[in-house]
């Protein structure tokens, strides 16, 4: 529904927006908004209400690491990556690379150490690191 998308967009901007404010912005009753939120939660369209860290709370250095792994080594490699605190996300991929990891670090030394740990993980054939320089668009 169009109203659901508008509600989700407002919640994505600020998940702490009061129901009364959401209702006013969408031109709907508070009870309608509350019922829609409950339905969206029940169907899984809203999985959680969370925070998005502002710049001062985030580690300033970010990198994307493309990882190629040995056959049948996926579970071991994923277990090792999960143990590395600087890794925020890991996704499987199609194509030349098997995994893509997103990481953050506070210093270049911390970034370098994490990249070394990824490369040294048993089952990792090769990796390529892409260091993020600046954010031009952020819809997260």
């Amino acid at each position: 529904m169009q109203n659901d998308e508008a509600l989700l967009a407002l919640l994505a901007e600020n998940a702490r927006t009061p129901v009364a404010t959401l209702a006013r912005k969408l031109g709907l009753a508070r009870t309608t908004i509350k019922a829609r939120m409950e339905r969206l939660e029940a169907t899984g369209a809203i999985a959680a209400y969370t925070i998005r860290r502002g710049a001062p709370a985030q580690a300033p250095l970010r990198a994307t690491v493309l990882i190629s792994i040995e056959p049948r080594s996926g579970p071991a490699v994923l277990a090792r990556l999960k143990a590395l605190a600087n890794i925020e996300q890991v996704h499987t991929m199609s194509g030349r690379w098997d995994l893509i990891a997103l990481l953050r670090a506070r210093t270049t030394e911390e970034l370098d150490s994490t990249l070394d740990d990824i490369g040294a993980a048993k089952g990792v054939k090769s990796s390529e690191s892409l260091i993020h320089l600046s954010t031009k668009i952020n819809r997260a």
Side-chain angles (χ1 to χ4, degrees):
M1 291 182 145
Q2 188 176 8
N3 283 331
D4 286 349
E5 291 302 319
L7 175 58
L8 290 170
L10 288 172
L11 289 170
E13 286 177 26
N14 182 358
R16 295 182 62 189
T17 304
V19 173
T21 302
L22 295 169
R24 188 175 61 256
K25 287 183 176 183
L26 296 173
L28 299 168
R30 286 180 18 191
T31 55
T32 302
I33 295 298
K34 187 71 176 148
R36 285 178 190 233
M37 289 173 66
E38 289 171 359
R39 182 178 46 78
L40 291 167
E41 291 167 5
T43 63
I46 295 176
Y49 296 90
T50 186
I51 64 165
R52 183 176 11 164
R53 293 182 191 179
Q58 293 180 349
L61 300 173
R62 297 169 296 142
T64 298
V65 184
L66 305 170
I67 304 167
S68 177
I69 61 174
E70 300 287 343
R72 295 177 295 284
S73 65
V77 171
L78 285 172
R80 179 64 185 132
L81 295 176
K82 189 174 184 178
L84 299 175
N86 290 349
I87 294 183
E88 292 187 333
Q89 297 178 15
V90 177
H91 305 274
T92 57
M93 296 178 56
S94 62
R96 189 175 122 205
W97 301 98
D98 300 303
L99 302 172
I100 184 169
L102 304 175
L103 62 96
R104 288 188 181 272
R106 298 207 177 280
T107 64
T108 55
E109 291 80 10
E110 190 177 288
L111 178 64
D112 189 40
S113 176
T114 302
L115 295 173
D116 286 345
D117 289 343
I118 292 169
K122 185 175 180 171
V124 171
K125 280 197 298 190
S126 63
S127 66
E128 183 175 332
S129 306
L130 308 164
I131 311 304
H132 300 205
L133 300 177
S134 65
T135 300
K136 302 298 184 185
I137 299 171
N138 184 2
R139 292 190 177 113

